[in-house]
Amino acid sequence: MKLYTYFRSSAAYRVRIALNLKGLEYESLPRHLTRGGGEHRHGDYLSVNPQGLIPLLIDGDATIAQSLAIIEYLEETHPEPPLLPRAPAERARARSLALAIACDIHPLNNLRVLDYLRTPLGHDTAVISEWYRHWIACGFGALEAEAARACNDQLHLVGSHVTLADVCLVPQMYNARRFECDLQPYPRLKRISAHLEELPAFAKAAPEAQPDAV
Amino acid sequence: MKLYTYFRSSAAYRVRIALNLKGLEYESLPRHLTRGGGEHRHGDYLSVNPQGLIPLLIDGDATIAQSLAIIEYLEETHPEPPLLPRAPAERARARSLALAIACDIHPLNNLRVLDYLRTPLGHDTAVISEWYRHWIACGFGALEAEAARACNDQLHLVGSHVTLADVCLVPQMYNARRFECDLQPYPRLKRISAHLEELPAFAKAAPEAQPDAV
């Protein structure tokens, strides 16, 4: 398998974690998201991925964009170890918490959105940082409340095994720390993330451990 | 089943389409997203859904937030007719196009984001409409390119049957028309959506057909 990736892309980070958890070898094809106007916007990449975003997985004839679609594909083609629980309601819960991050936090803080706030909207770094922290606070507030009432072992978002929800949490926590968000209101998320970050599959997927890290 | 919904919420619209396609009866529990500061932000609703967003499905003991998690749950518990193809690569493709809408277009144009652009950021309706159309253009441009190279019958985004991708496309097209986006550059999306909107399951799910429509 080949993965178009960027060390700091949190969507790519999710896929790297999933690949590592499944014990799958892959070739990294780094694309720098800021250099040269964004290497993911160049024609040669758009011919491979018309969506023009990172990550992209290539597995034989299959070319798959969107991190959660990639991870569901890995789950179906390499079921062990599972990243979704067995019961439909529990699977739904893991997907729901993953989507609370992938739809309700991350897209708002994506590089292209921050760029738009700067140009054409004309906002400065202070306003943009406030924007960033606002959506983290909304999303993490909801997730912390979910973690408080979920049936889990306090080391995972759902149940007592790593799920898709955990795979999304760690990269989002990484981003939140990078933008110096106040994480005190989220003790459960901090505890869960701290536990997960120690696991080899997560550690090996971290931005600073990537060949393209700068 | 009970569905917390709002006639104009495009995430709820997706779930209504899926329920109709599966032939499932449900009770509508409307929550008005602007009246009273947003009925989804009231304490009684937050106690049911800590994520504080619409839609939410209740099926017996299961309470599921996030439209795509709900639809995957329906797919697992009521497999016929399927909303995902059979082969993993094709399933991934349907999910990828659904997520291109659910992650890369819709969250940026959500009501709470437009509200934030107005207050505290201070933008007027013209700037906010331009923001809206910008993300529609980015996302639909990518989807149109995907539809052009996809293996499909020109009436569906993937293959020759309704999939999760189509379920996401129609509500996003509805939103785009509502904000008077220029849809000329997307002939394939227009043709696919026009076909789908005629189908009874889609027509019955449309905003104007809902009991809470105003």
Side-chain angles (χ1 to χ4, degrees), chain B residues 8-208:
Chain B
R8 255 190 204 142
S9 156
S10 77
Y13 189 176
R14 293 175 201 148
V15 174
R16 296 194 301 258
I17 295 168
L19 285 162
N20 294 343
L21 286 166
K22 300 277 188 190
L24 298 169
E25 296 290 326
Y26 65 96
E27 180 186 351
S28 266
L29 302 174
R31 286 268 148 172
H32 201 289
L33 293 195
T34 59
R35 208 163 47 199
E39 291 176 358
H40 58 302
R41 295 203 188 99
H42 296 183
D44 65 326
Y45 183 66
L46 290 176
S47 71
V48 183
N49 181 10
Q51 294 186 35
L53 295 168
I54 296 290
L56 183 80
L57 183 79
I58 299 184
D59 182 24
D61 291 339
T63 298
I64 308 167
Q66 294 290 341
S67 61
L68 296 189
I70 294 171
I71 297 172
E72 294 269 2
Y73 171 82
L74 295 175
E75 182 75 358
E76 293 179 347
T77 54
H78 300 82
E80 296 298 329
L83 298 181
L84 289 169
R86 203 174 294 182
E90 287 300 295
R91 295 166 72 82
R93 181 154 186 82
R95 287 188 175 115
S96 173
L97 301 193
L99 289 161
I101 295 169
C103 292
D104 292 332
I105 303 177
H106 178 248
L108 295 163
N109 289 345
N110 220 337
L111 189 60
R112 61 190 191 139
V113 176
L114 306 185
D115 283 347
Y116 192 96
L117 288 169
R118 193 173 299 275
T119 311
L121 294 192
H123 294 297
D124 61 17
T125 301
V127 168
I128 293 171
S129 296
E130 193 48 48
W131 165 280
Y132 199 102
R133 292 178 195 134
H134 175 74
W135 301 115
I136 292 274
C138 288
F140 276 5
L143 266 187
E144 181 74 12
E146 288 273 24
R149 68 181 215 156
C151 183
N152 67 45
D153 64 0
Q154 312 288 311
L155 297 175
H156 304 86
L157 278 171
V158 178
S160 55
H161 295 91
V162 173
T163 68
L164 182 60
D166 300 311
V167 168
C168 291
L169 175 65
V170 167
Q172 192 60 65
M173 286 293 271
Y174 171 87
N175 281 357
R177 286 193 300 262
R178 196 171 151 234
F179 275 76
E180 299 175 355
C181 299
D182 176 17
L183 298 176
Q184 289 302 17
Y186 321 113
R188 289 176 181 83
L189 302 185
K190 283 172 66 182
R191 186 169 52 226
I192 292 170
S193 190
H195 165 72
L196 296 168
E197 285 163 42
E198 296 292 316
L199 304 178
F202 285 76
K204 196 177 142 196
E208 56 273 17

Side-chain angles (χ1 to χ4, degrees), chain A residues 17 23 28 47-48 52 58 69 86 92-93 110 126 129 132 134 138 158 161 168 179 196 198 210 213:
Chain A
I17 294 168
S28 267
S47 71
V48 183
I58 298 183
R86 204 174 294 181
R93 183 157 184 79
N110 219 337
S129 297
Y132 198 105
H134 174 75
C138 289
V158 178
H161 294 91
C168 291
F179 275 76
L196 295 168
E198 296 293 316
Q210 301 314 301

Side-chain angles (χ1 to χ4, degrees), chain A residues 163-201:
Chain A
T163 68
L164 182 60
D166 300 310
V167 168
C168 291
L169 176 64
V170 167
Q172 192 60 64
M173 287 293 270
Y174 171 87
N175 281 355
R177 287 194 300 263
R178 195 171 152 234
F179 275 76
E180 297 174 357
C181 299
D182 176 17
L183 297 176
Q184 290 301 42
Y186 322 113
R188 289 176 181 83
L189 302 185
K190 282 172 65 183
R191 186 169 53 229
I192 292 169
S193 189
H195 164 72
L196 295 168
E197 286 163 40
E198 296 293 316
L199 304 178

